[in-house]
Amino acid sequence: MATNRSGPNLSRIAASLGVSVATVSNALSGKGRVSAELGERIRATATALGYVPSQAGRALRTGRSGVLGLVLPDISNPLFPQIAQAMEYAASIAGYGVLIADSRGDVARQTEAINRLLERGVDGMIIVPRRGTRIADIGCPVAVVDTPSTPGNTVSADHWQGGRQIASYLCDLGHRDFLLLGNNPASNVQNDRIGGIKSALDPSARVEVLWIESIEERHGTGCLLGLADKAREGFTAFAAISDLAALRALTELQRAGVTVPGSVSVTGFDDLVWSPVVTPALTTMRMDMATIAKVAIAALVNAIEKRPPGESFEDDPLSGISRIVTATVSRVPMQLIVRQSSGPARPTKTDPSDGEPSE
């Protein structure tokens, strides 16, 4: 979308007030000696005339592009467009644009994505790392958004707390037999969620963890996970570590005739856009992405703008030391969203295919 150039706008503001273009420029940039009263008049006139600062002019003055990079691990996962939207909005409020790159879950592509953004002159980056990877120094400020247990994490949802909260909720419903359904054991986020769940359970509770990728390695992509058998074994709480895994559990259980939540409860994480509209609507844990994005962008912009205008990061005497930024808040609580896929545990053993107590 085209934007107005700054030159004519500055001239119009100057002409309307009978001052020089230099005075207008100084007032709008906060530089030079301009009285408070005149500065306020200039800013008010600029707003009335719809003044739009020139990004190119800003770059020349400050040595900064006004653009941030955002590296995501898998844009096909419906969670990550939600993250991108929150980051772009927070960046725009701070006066920055965003370029997005997708690592497609591959370590080499993640490195390539980072290098491409550096070549385009971004001032800093937000990186949601591919599972199991750590972000080294890349030559510009970086905000890492993963999980609090990840070394160098800037800010993220408190996944451990989210696990504890969903476990406590299910325990209050009387569940004592838990099947935890994750995707890949290399994920720090999923391990923290599982760790949180386990930490909130009574030692007498029965807990089993199934990893989808491990099952698929043996039986093929999209295979049945054996969840109906698990229901027959007495598991009543199917706590998936993502909404995608929860949807798979819902589908498999219902096709096998296991009623949800009549015989078993199914819960997820992330509150994806379709989670309220599946049948039954999914009980899940929601991340406060607006707050996470606001905190990450604020920390990143603060690191960028502390550097004197025109000084490059290559000139940094601390070159080689990680530039991963820290934030005032490192973990943001998750929120329990209760819907129809969860309910009280059955008081007696049941045949999950008919939803009635067994004799």
Side-chain angles (χ1 to χ4, degrees):
M1 182 176 67
T3 57
N4 296 327
R5 298 179 64 85
S6 64
N9 276 337
L10 289 178
S11 299
R12 286 183 61 196
I13 297 167
S16 67
L17 293 172
V19 298
S20 70
V21 171
T23 298
V24 172
S25 178
N26 286 339
L28 295 177
S29 66
K31 299 176 181 178
R33 295 182 179 179
V34 180
S35 70
E37 179 184 356
L38 179 56
E40 184 59 35
R41 287 173 57 204
I42 289 172
R43 286 186 288 273
T45 303
T47 299
L49 294 176
Y51 168 71
V52 178
S54 164
Q55 193 63 46
R58 174 186 175 183
L60 286 173
R61 291 191 307 273
T62 65
R64 304 182 189 119
S65 65
V67 178
L68 305 176
L70 173 60
V71 180
L72 298 171
D74 182 6
I75 202 71
S76 67
N77 184 319
L79 170 64
F80 295 115
Q82 293 180 208
I83 293 176
Q85 184 179 52
M87 292 294 177
E88 193 282 333
Y89 179 75
S92 69
I93 295 297
Y96 284 77
V98 177
L99 291 176
I100 299 174
D102 181 9
S103 69
R104 305 180 193 178
D106 182 83
V107 176
R109 287 184 181 272
Q110 179 174 273
T111 302
E112 291 172 6
I114 290 169
N115 289 337
R116 283 198 307 273
L117 291 172
L118 287 173
E119 289 169 0
R120 284 160 174 75
V122 297
D123 294 326
M125 278 190 225
I126 310 101
I127 300 178
V128 183
R130 184 230 184 238
R131 61 173 179 258
T133 60
R134 292 182 61 178
I135 304 303
D137 182 66
I138 62 173
C140 74
V142 175
V144 175
V145 179
D146 194 30
T147 189
S149 66
T150 298
N153 185 70
T154 300
V155 61
S156 67
D158 192 339
H159 300 286
W160 188 280
Q161 167 265 333
R164 287 188 60 85
Q165 189 170 356
I166 198 78
S168 296
Y169 163 73
L170 289 168
C171 287
D172 288 344
L173 290 173
H175 292 278
R176 295 295 179 267
D177 300 278
F178 292 79
L179 187 77
L180 311 186
L181 189 61
N183 189 55
N184 187 291
S187 167
N188 293 338
V189 168
Q190 294 194 35
N191 278 305
D192 278 3
R193 291 174 175 180
I194 286 175
I197 291 173
K198 289 181 174 180
S199 72
L201 298 180
D202 188 271
S204 64
R206 180 169 57 141
V207 185
E208 184 176 330
V209 180
L210 291 185
W211 294 105
I212 292 175
E213 288 193 7
S214 298
I215 296 172
E216 290 186 332
E217 285 175 3
R218 298 192 301 271
H219 303 292
T221 301
C223 66
L224 291 177
L225 303 175
L227 303 185
D229 289 338
K230 294 298 180 183
R232 282 188 283 270
E233 291 172 17
F235 288 97
T236 62
F238 288 69
I241 308 306
S242 70
D243 282 1
L244 288 174
L247 178 62
R248 186 163 176 176
L250 275 175
T251 302
E252 182 171 323
L253 288 165
Q254 291 181 128
R255 285 179 177 174
V258 180
T259 59
V260 180
S263 296
V264 302
S265 290
V266 176
T267 61
F269 271 82
D270 299 330
D271 194 25
L272 298 181
V273 64
W274 43 258
S275 298
V277 296
V278 297
T279 303
L282 185 63
T283 294
T284 186
M285 296 299 302
R286 176 187 293 166
M287 288 191 285
D288 184 354
M289 278 312 310
T291 297
I292 293 168
K294 183 178 179 180
V295 171
I297 295 296
L300 191 57
V301 168
N302 180 61
I304 292 166
E305 298 188 350
K306 281 196 306 185
R307 185 168 302 278
E311 182 180 327
S312 69
F313 288 97
E314 287 76 8
D315 297 332
D316 193 337
L318 299 180
S319 180
I321 296 178
S322 175
R323 297 183 181 89
I324 295 175
V325 301
T326 58
T328 54
V329 175
S330 63
R331 58 185 72 204
V332 178
M334 302 188 79
Q335 178 186 4
L336 174 65
I337 306 298
V338 176
R339 298 193 180 103
Q340 287 73 49
S341 69
S342 56
R346 300 289 275 183
T348 60
K349 292 282 186 179
T350 66
D351 179 351
S353 64
D354 60 20
E356 296 298 327
S358 298
E359 298 297 332

